[in-house]
Amino acid sequence: MVLQDPQQRIDEDALKAWRLGGWISAAVYAVIIGIMVFLTIRFDWPYWIAGTALLIAVLVALFEIAYIPVWRWRRFRYDVSEHEIDLLHGLFIRKRTIIPMVKIQHVDTKQGPLLRKYQLATVTFSTAAGSHEIPALLESKAEQVRNQIAQLARITDEEI
């Protein structure tokens, strides 16, 4: 039996939050490069060191802002059914994880400042083997998914 890929997507506003995170990273890189330029001038280091660091920082920032958020958003899928949670994600290596409801021990939502700015939240759930997450859902959807998982895990647990 071949399982169909999960169909649910995370919210498109995740792109905005992840891009903002990329801009914050770029600002940190700029400070580090500024310090490197200062040290290069102060201690007469070769200029190619700061130039190479600048080039690497620009390329990494470009990927963090322009490409990685889109790739993450396009590749993440999930489904929550009566018996399992099905996750499909990964940029270069696709990872499919199916978590049986009977294994869910804890479910929660979390929201950092970037997600809060866009009214998004991440649903996290734990098993004995580790924790998993469905990132960047609208707050109302995240609450609904969290409650659905909690309800199904409790029902499944009682049936054992």
Side-chain angles (χ1 to χ4, degrees):
M1 178 176 144
V2 177
L3 290 176
Q4 183 180 14
D5 284 349
Q7 299 301 310
Q8 298 292 318
R9 292 186 136 195
I10 57 179
D11 194 84
E12 200 166 351
D13 281 343
L15 292 169
K16 296 175 188 173
W18 292 336
R19 284 187 174 132
L20 181 56
W23 280 108
I24 292 169
S25 295
V28 171
Y29 302 153
V31 169
I32 293 169
I33 297 301
I35 292 169
M36 286 188 73
V37 168
F38 169 76
L39 293 174
T40 298
I41 294 169
R42 175 83 166 96
F43 296 110
D44 199 29
W45 291 349
Y47 288 105
W48 67 267
I49 296 173
T52 302
L54 175 63
L55 179 64
I56 291 170
V58 167
L59 290 174
V60 169
L62 177 68
F63 271 88
E64 286 182 357
I65 294 166
Y67 298 111
I68 293 176
V70 174
W71 292 337
R72 281 179 68 190
W73 181 79
R74 284 184 182 164
R75 303 291 266 173
F76 195 96
R77 298 280 190 283
Y78 74 95
D79 274 331
V80 177
S81 70
E82 184 178 342
H83 300 290
E84 63 199 16
I85 301 170
D86 192 355
L87 304 174
L88 180 64
H89 57 94
L91 298 179
F92 300 110
I93 298 172
R94 300 288 284 163
K95 183 175 181 182
R96 178 120 186 231
T97 307
I98 299 174
I99 303 110
M101 284 296 175
V102 295
K103 301 294 184 185
I104 303 291
Q105 296 175 341
H106 178 76
V107 63
D108 201 1
T109 53
K110 66 180 181 179
Q111 183 183 51
L114 296 181
L115 292 180
R116 190 175 309 117
K117 177 177 174 45
Y118 296 101
Q119 290 85 42
L120 300 172
T122 296
V123 177
T124 61
F125 40 95
S126 303
T127 66
S131 67
H132 307 277
E133 68 180 25
I134 302 171
L137 298 174
L138 281 174
E139 288 175 333
S140 59
K141 178 72 173 176
E143 187 175 322
Q144 175 191 353
V145 169
R146 181 198 63 212
N147 292 341
Q148 180 185 11
I149 293 171
Q151 176 88 19
L152 292 171
R154 189 173 19 253
I155 289 170
T156 308
D157 206 25
E158 290 171 358
E159 290 174 353
I160 296 177

